[in-house]
Coordinates of all heavy atoms in Angstrom, one line a residue:
L22 N 142.2 22.5 18.6 CA 141.1 23.5 18.8 C 141.8 24.8 19.2 O 143.0 24.8 19.6 CB 140.3 23.1 20.0 CG 139.2 22.0 19.8 CD1 138.6 21.6 21.2 CD2 138.1 22.4 18.9
R23 N 141.1 25.9 18.9 CA 141.6 27.2 19.3 C 140.6 27.8 20.2 O 139.5 28.1 19.8 CB 141.9 28.1 18.1 CG 142.6 29.4 18.5 CD 142.9 30.3 17.4 NE 141.7 31.0 16.8 CZ 141.7 32.0 16.0 NH1 142.9 32.6 15.7 NH2 140.6 32.5 15.6
L24 N 141.0 28.1 21.5 CA 140.1 28.8 22.4 C 140.4 30.3 22.3 O 141.5 30.7 22.0 CB 140.4 28.3 23.8 CG 140.3 26.8 24.1 CD1 140.5 26.5 25.6 CD2 139.0 26.2 23.6
R25 N 139.3 31.0 22.6 CA 139.4 32.4 22.6 C 138.9 33.0 23.9 O 137.9 32.5 24.5 CB 138.5 32.9 21.4 CG 138.5 34.4 21.2 CD 137.8 34.8 19.9 NE 136.4 34.4 19.9 CZ 135.9 33.4 19.2 NH1 136.7 32.7 18.4 NH2 134.6 33.1 19.2
C26 N 139.6 34.0 24.4 CA 139.1 34.7 25.6 C 139.0 36.2 25.3 O 140.0 36.9 25.0 CB 140.2 34.5 26.7 SG 139.8 35.4 28.2
E27 N 137.7 36.6 25.2 CA 137.4 38.0 24.9 C 137.3 38.8 26.2 O 136.6 38.4 27.1 CB 136.2 38.1 24.1 CG 136.3 37.4 22.7 CD 135.0 37.5 21.9 OE1 134.2 36.6 22.1 OE2 134.8 38.5 21.2
T28 N 137.9 40.0 26.2 CA 137.8 40.8 27.4 C 137.1 42.1 27.0 O 137.1 42.6 25.9 CB 139.2 41.2 27.9 OG1 139.8 42.2 27.0 CG2 140.1 40.0 28.0
A29 N 136.3 42.6 28.0 CA 135.5 43.8 27.7 C 135.2 44.5 29.0 O 135.0 43.9 30.0 CB 134.2 43.5 27.0
G30 N 135.2 45.9 28.9 CA 134.7 46.7 30.0 C 135.7 46.9 31.2 O 135.3 47.4 32.2
F31 N 136.9 46.5 31.0 CA 137.9 46.7 32.1 C 138.4 48.1 32.1 O 138.7 48.7 31.0 CB 139.0 45.7 31.9 CG 138.6 44.3 32.2 CD1 138.2 43.5 31.2 CD2 138.6 43.8 33.5 CE1 137.9 42.2 31.4 CE2 138.3 42.5 33.8 CZ 137.9 41.7 32.7
T32 N 138.5 48.7 33.3 CA 139.0 50.0 33.4 C 140.5 50.1 33.7 O 141.0 51.2 33.8 CB 138.2 50.7 34.6 OG1 138.4 50.0 35.8 CG2 136.7 50.8 34.2
V33 N 141.1 49.0 33.9 CA 142.5 48.9 34.1 C 143.1 47.9 33.1 O 142.4 47.0 32.6 CB 142.9 48.4 35.5 CG1 142.4 49.4 36.6 CG2 142.3 47.0 35.8
P34 N 144.4 48.1 32.7 CA 145.0 47.2 31.8 C 145.1 45.8 32.4 O 145.4 45.6 33.6 CB 146.4 47.8 31.5 CG 146.3 49.2 31.9 CD 145.3 49.2 33.1
L35 N 144.9 44.8 31.5 CA 145.0 43.4 31.9 C 146.4 42.9 31.5 O 146.6 42.5 30.3 CB 143.9 42.5 31.3 CG 142.5 42.9 31.7 CD1 141.5 42.1 31.0 CD2 142.3 42.9 33.2
R36 N 147.3 43.0 32.4 CA 148.7 42.7 32.0 C 149.1 41.2 32.1 O 150.1 40.8 31.6 CB 149.7 43.5 32.9 CG 149.5 45.0 32.8 CD 150.6 45.8 33.5 NE 150.6 47.2 33.3 CZ 149.9 48.0 34.1 NH1 149.2 47.6 35.1 NH2 149.9 49.3 33.8
S37 N 148.2 40.5 32.8 CA 148.5 39.1 33.0 C 147.2 38.3 32.7 O 146.2 38.5 33.2 CB 148.9 38.8 34.5 OG 149.3 37.4 34.7
I38 N 147.4 37.3 31.8 CA 146.3 36.4 31.4 C 146.7 35.0 31.6 O 147.8 34.6 31.2 CB 145.9 36.6 29.9 CG1 145.5 38.1 29.6 CG2 144.8 35.6 29.5 CD1 144.2 38.5 30.2
G39 N 145.8 34.2 32.2 CA 146.1 32.8 32.4 C 145.0 31.9 31.9 O 143.9 32.3 31.8
W40 N 145.4 30.8 31.4 CA 144.5 29.7 31.1 C 144.6 28.6 32.1 O 145.7 28.1 32.4 CB 144.7 29.1 29.7 CG 144.2 30.0 28.6 CD1 145.0 30.9 27.8 CD2 142.9 30.1 28.1 NE1 144.2 31.5 26.9 CE2 142.9 31.0 27.0 CE3 141.7 29.4 28.4 CZ2 141.7 31.3 26.3 CZ3 140.6 29.7 27.7 CH2 140.6 30.7 26.6
F41 N 143.5 28.1 32.6 CA 143.4 27.0 33.6 C 142.4 26.0 33.1 O 141.5 26.4 32.3 CB 143.0 27.5 35.0 CG 144.1 28.4 35.6 CD1 144.3 29.7 35.3 CD2 144.9 27.9 36.6 CE1 145.2 30.5 35.9 CE2 145.9 28.6 37.3 CZ 146.0 29.9 36.9
R42 N 142.4 24.8 33.6 CA 141.4 23.8 33.3 C 141.1 23.0 34.5 O 141.9 22.9 35.5 CB 141.9 22.9 32.2 CG 143.1 22.1 32.5 CD 143.6 21.4 31.3 NE 144.8 20.5 31.6 CZ 145.5 19.8 30.6 NH1 145.2 20.0 29.3 NH2 146.5 19.0 31.0
Q43 N 139.9 22.4 34.5 CA 139.4 21.7 35.7 C 138.5 20.6 35.2 O 137.7 20.8 34.4 CB 138.7 22.7 36.6 CG 138.3 22.0 38.0 CD 137.8 23.1 38.9 OE1 137.3 24.1 38.6 NE2 138.0 22.8 40.2
V44 N 138.7 19.4 35.9 CA 137.8 18.3 35.7 C 137.1 18.0 37.0 O 137.6 18.4 38.1 CB 138.6 17.1 35.2 CG1 139.2 17.3 33.9 CG2 139.6 16.6 36.2
P45 N 136.0 17.4 37.0 CA 135.2 17.1 38.2 C 136.1 16.4 39.3 O 136.8 15.4 38.9 CB 134.0 16.3 37.8 CG 133.8 16.7 36.4 CD 135.2 16.9 35.8
G46 N 136.1 16.8 40.5 CA 136.8 16.2 41.6 C 138.2 16.5 41.7 O 138.9 16.0 42.6
K47 N 138.7 17.4 40.8 CA 140.1 17.8 40.9 C 140.3 19.3 41.0 O 139.4 20.1 40.7 CB 140.9 17.3 39.6 CG 140.9 15.8 39.4 CD 141.7 15.4 38.2 CE 143.1 15.6 38.4 NZ 143.9 15.1 37.2
E48 N 141.5 19.7 41.4 CA 141.8 21.1 41.6 C 141.9 21.8 40.2 O 142.3 21.1 39.2 CB 143.0 21.3 42.4 CG 143.0 20.8 43.8 CD 142.0 21.7 44.6 OE1 142.0 22.9 44.5 OE2 141.3 21.1 45.5
R49 N 141.6 23.1 40.2 CA 141.9 23.8 38.9 C 143.3 23.8 38.6 O 144.2 24.1 39.5 CB 141.3 25.2 39.1 CG 141.2 26.0 37.7 CD 140.3 27.2 37.8 NE 138.9 26.8 38.1 CZ 137.9 27.6 38.0 NH1 138.1 28.9 37.8 NH2 136.6 27.1 38.3
E50 N 143.7 23.5 37.4 CA 145.1 23.2 37.0 C 145.5 24.3 36.0 O 144.9 24.7 35.1 CB 145.2 21.9 36.3 CG 146.5 21.5 35.7 CD 146.5 20.3 34.8 OE1 145.4 19.9 34.4 OE2 147.6 19.7 34.6
F51 N 146.7 24.8 36.3 CA 147.4 25.8 35.4 C 147.7 25.2 34.1 O 148.2 24.1 34.0 CB 148.6 26.4 36.1 CG 149.5 27.2 35.1 CD1 149.1 28.5 34.8 CD2 150.7 26.6 34.6 CE1 149.9 29.2 33.9 CE2 151.4 27.4 33.8 CZ 151.1 28.7 33.4
V52 N 147.4 26.0 33.0 CA 147.7 25.5 31.7 C 148.8 26.4 31.0 O 149.8 26.0 30.5 CB 146.5 25.5 30.8 CG1 146.8 25.1 29.3 CG2 145.5 24.4 31.4
S53 N 148.5 27.7 31.0 CA 149.4 28.7 30.3 C 149.2 30.1 30.8 O 148.1 30.4 31.3 CB 149.1 28.6 28.7 OG 150.0 29.4 28.0
H54 N 150.2 30.9 30.6 CA 150.2 32.3 31.1 C 150.8 33.2 30.0 O 151.7 32.8 29.3 CB 150.9 32.4 32.4 CG 151.2 33.8 32.8 ND1 152.5 34.4 32.6 CD2 150.5 34.8 33.4 CE1 152.5 35.6 33.0 NE2 151.3 35.9 33.5
L55 N 150.2 34.4 29.9 CA 150.8 35.4 29.1 C 150.9 36.7 29.8 O 150.0 37.2 30.4 CB 149.8 35.7 27.9 CG 150.1 36.9 27.0 CD1 151.4 36.7 26.2 CD2 148.9 37.2 26.1
S56 N 152.1 37.3 29.8 CA 152.4 38.6 30.3 C 152.1 39.5 29.1 O 152.9 39.6 28.1 CB 153.8 38.8 30.8 OG 154.0 40.2 31.1
W57 N 150.9 40.1 29.0 CA 150.4 40.8 27.9 C 151.3 41.9 27.4 O 151.7 42.0 26.2 CB 149.0 41.4 28.1 CG 148.2 41.6 26.9 CD1 148.6 42.0 25.7 CD2 146.8 41.4 26.8 NE1 147.5 42.0 24.8 CE2 146.4 41.7 25.4 CE3 145.8 40.9 27.7 CZ2 145.1 41.6 25.0 CZ3 144.4 40.9 27.2 CH2 144.1 41.2 25.9
S58 N 151.7 42.8 28.3 CA 152.5 43.9 28.0 C 153.9 43.5 27.5 O 154.5 44.2 26.7 CB 152.6 44.9 29.1 OG 153.2 44.3 30.3
R59 N 154.5 42.5 28.1 CA 155.9 42.1 27.9 C 155.9 41.0 26.8 O 157.0 40.7 26.3 CB 156.6 41.6 29.1 CG 156.8 42.7 30.1 CD 157.8 42.4 31.2 NE 157.2 41.4 32.2 CZ 157.9 40.9 33.1 NH1 159.2 41.1 33.3 NH2 157.3 40.1 34.0
G60 N 154.8 40.3 26.5 CA 154.8 39.3 25.5 C 155.5 38.0 25.9 O 155.8 37.2 25.1
M61 N 155.6 37.8 27.2 CA 156.3 36.6 27.7 C 155.2 35.5 28.0 O 154.1 35.8 28.4 CB 157.0 36.9 29.0 CG 158.2 37.9 28.8 SD 159.0 38.3 30.4 CE 159.7 36.7 30.8
T62 N 155.5 34.3 27.8 CA 154.6 33.2 27.9 C 155.2 32.1 28.8 O 156.4 31.9 28.9 CB 154.2 32.6 26.6 OG1 155.4 32.1 25.9 CG2 153.5 33.6 25.7
N63 N 154.3 31.3 29.4 CA 154.6 30.2 30.3 C 153.6 29.1 30.0 O 152.4 29.3 29.7 CB 154.6 30.6 31.7 CG 155.6 31.6 32.1 OD1 156.8 31.4 32.3 ND2 155.2 32.9 32.1
Y64 N 154.1 27.8 30.2 CA 153.2 26.7 29.9 C 153.4 25.6 31.0 O 154.5 25.4 31.5 CB 153.5 26.1 28.6 CG 153.3 27.0 27.4 CD1 154.3 27.8 26.9 CD2 152.0 27.1 26.8 CE1 154.1 28.6 25.9 CE2 151.8 28.0 25.8 CZ 152.8 28.7 25.3 OH 152.6 29.6 24.3
A65 N 152.4 24.9 31.3 CA 152.5 23.7 32.1 C 153.3 22.7 31.4 O 153.2 22.6 30.1 CB 151.1 23.2 32.5
D66 N 154.0 21.8 32.1 CA 154.8 20.8 31.4 C 153.9 19.9 30.6 O 154.3 19.3 29.6 CB 155.6 20.0 32.5 CG 156.7 20.7 33.1 OD1 157.1 21.7 32.5 OD2 157.2 20.3 34.1

């Protein structure tokens, strides 16, 4: 699957984007991160 996150209406640059996921009864879990301006990425193991 390919998920999409559309941004709109922000008055400041969004330099950091994260993807998280959550299932019922559990904490929200980090999935992936993008430093938009620098193009650096991070992923959960």
Side-chain angles (χ1 to χ4, degrees):
L22 286 173
R23 188 179 72 163
L24 304 184
R25 181 170 64 252
C26 177
E27 297 178 271
T28 73
F31 290 93
T32 59
V33 297
L35 300 178
R36 296 187 177 92
S37 186
I38 301 291
W40 283 99
F41 292 77
R42 64 189 183 187
Q43 189 169 26
V44 299
K47 298 183 70 175
E48 297 291 321
R49 192 162 295 189
E50 176 189 18
F51 168 75
V52 175
S53 185
H54 166 260
L55 169 70
S56 176
W57 204 325
S58 60
R59 295 196 284 175
M61 300 176 63
T62 59
N63 299 276
Y64 299 92
D66 289 341

